[in-house]
Amino acid sequence: MLRQQDVGHRIVVRRIVGIREGRPLFSDALGELVELSETHITLSTDRGRLQVPVDEVHRAKRVPPARRPTAAAVVALELAADEAWPAPVRGRLGDWLLRGAEGWTGRANSALPIGDPDRPLPAALDAVERWYADRGQPAMVNTPLPLAAPVGAELDARGWTARPPVLVQTAPLTALPAGRPGLPPVGLSATPSAEWLAVAAGRKGGLPDAARHVLTAVDRIRFAHLHADGRLLAVGRGTVTGEGRWLGLTLIEVLPEARRRGFAGAVIQALADWGHAEGATHAFLQVEQRNAPAVALYQRLGFTTHHTYLTRVAPA
């Protein structure tokens, strides 16, 4: 049976649709799991959204994606994401990227092993460990899957642990739905306000100097602010990278007391409109697979999983 970890993945559901001559009749549905509750399974299918009552489900399971992106597509998107979240301290190991940002976020403090490290894999990982040790940081490696599966196997042998899986999701900008009518307007600015930074600090556990570099050191960038009732209730950050193709969506955050009012969708739509005007054609975001409410929101907006990654951490 399905679990919350399956939200955002492709599944097949066999449901009971009737009884004939004392025997059940079945129908199969294939699509991406949008929401899993105690009473219903909700899928996004080629024919639209489908909600299946749990008491009608005979069997349900995860199935492989319809097709995997090419290695070149994964590399291009990972480089666009790196450009959108730039670590202030950077190094190279052949094609591999080494990144440091005073420990602020895993993405900005991990090696990105794409391409050729210019040496055998064990020697490359030894070099990664030394680079981070020289900076007084734990060694971490982001492994896009299945592209970096050989790296992951070597890290398994070394006893490295893994943080929860992250879904890298994408959507064509033209496919994103319009925001709900009647919502407060979303303001966009080239720099974050003090209020915006306070929301980000609350979510990320503070903002060291390196964090401000990560947040702002992108040429094409906008910070979204949604005010209601005299307060800042929702924020977001948009960047255009990857040779102008990709709108990166990060730090989409709604204060707890303002959730389920359509504010996150309004922020995303405002940033999508800006990205489209800048010439971007697609949006991407990164969300932990276990964050079922966020995954369900992005599914409703038309995002699908391009690939996943694991942040691997060296033994202490």
Side-chain angles (χ1 to χ4, degrees), residues 27 49 166 176 227 251 258 266 277 290 315:
S27 176
R49 189 181 175 93
V166 173
L176 295 182
H227 289 85
L251 284 169
R290 65 182 179 180

Side-chain angles (χ1 to χ4, degrees), residues 187-202:
L188 300 181
S189 62
T191 57
S193 67
E195 284 182 296
W196 195 102
L197 291 171
V199 173

Side-chain angles (χ1 to χ4, degrees), residues 19 27 33 36 40 43 48 61 66 124 140 154 157 202 204 235 245 247 256 281 285 314:
I19 301 291
S27 176
L33 179 60
L36 179 64
H40 289 81
L43 301 84
K61 64 179 182 179
M140 295 196 294
E154 178 66 21
K204 293 294 187 181
V235 302
R245 179 189 180 192
L247 169 71
T281 59
L285 53 83

Side-chain angles (χ1 to χ4, degrees), residues 100-112:
E102 299 178 32
W104 192 75
T105 75
R107 277 176 286 166
N109 291 275
S110 56
L112 182 60

Side-chain angles (χ1 to χ4, degrees), residues 24-288:
L25 301 176
F26 299 108
S27 176
D28 291 343
L30 181 67
E32 289 201 12
L33 179 60
V34 173
E35 188 175 6
L36 179 64
S37 72
E38 293 182 358
T39 59
H40 289 81
I41 294 174
T42 305
L43 301 84
S44 175
T45 74
D46 291 341
R47 297 183 179 182
R49 189 181 175 93
L50 174 65
Q51 192 173 71
V52 182
V54 168
D55 58 11
E56 294 181 5
V57 175
H58 175 68
R59 185 178 302 159
K61 64 179 182 179
R62 191 193 294 193
V63 296
R67 61 176 182 172
R68 290 179 174 176
T70 65
V74 173
V75 169
L77 183 48
E78 284 291 329
L79 292 177
D82 173 72
E83 187 184 347
W85 199 253
V89 179
R90 304 177 69 84
R92 284 261 180 193
L93 196 65
D95 296 328
W96 288 18
L97 301 178
L98 307 172
R99 306 173 292 190
E102 299 178 32
W104 192 75
T105 75
R107 277 176 286 166
N109 291 275
S110 56
L112 182 60
I114 54 177
D116 183 359
D118 255 352
R119 64 204 72 193
L121 179 55
L125 293 174
D126 290 343
V128 168
E129 292 176 348
R130 288 194 300 270
W131 193 87
Y132 285 99
D134 289 346
R135 287 154 183 80
Q137 292 185 222
M140 295 196 294
V141 176
N142 264 21
T143 55
L145 300 174
L147 180 68
V151 177
E154 178 66 21
L155 294 177
D156 287 340
R158 294 177 178 228
W160 287 46
T161 57
R163 291 183 176 175
V166 173
L167 309 179
V168 181
Q169 299 199 314
T170 63
L173 287 182
T174 55
L176 295 182
R180 296 183 195 170
L183 292 178
V186 177
L188 300 181
S189 62
T191 57
S193 67
E195 284 182 296
W196 195 102
L197 291 171
V199 173
R203 176 174 175 180
K204 293 294 187 181
L207 293 179
D209 289 342
R212 295 175 184 266
H213 181 280
V214 172
L215 289 173
T216 62
V218 182
D219 290 338
R220 290 195 278 176
I221 189 168
R222 287 296 183 271
F223 297 87
H225 304 69
L226 185 151
H227 289 85
D229 306 322
R231 299 176 56 209
L232 180 65
L233 294 181
V235 302
R237 174 180 175 272
T239 54
V240 173
T241 60
E243 298 181 345
R245 179 189 180 192
W246 289 104
L247 169 71
L249 297 170
T250 52
L251 284 169
I252 307 299
E253 181 74 6
V254 179
L255 270 58
E257 63 270 25
R259 290 174 184 165
R260 300 188 181 277
R261 294 167 61 181
F263 290 169
V267 165
I268 289 171
Q269 186 58 54
L271 290 170
D273 289 344
W274 169 76
H276 188 265
E278 289 287 309
T281 59
H282 290 73
F284 76 87
L285 53 83
Q286 298 167 330
V287 58
E288 281 196 1

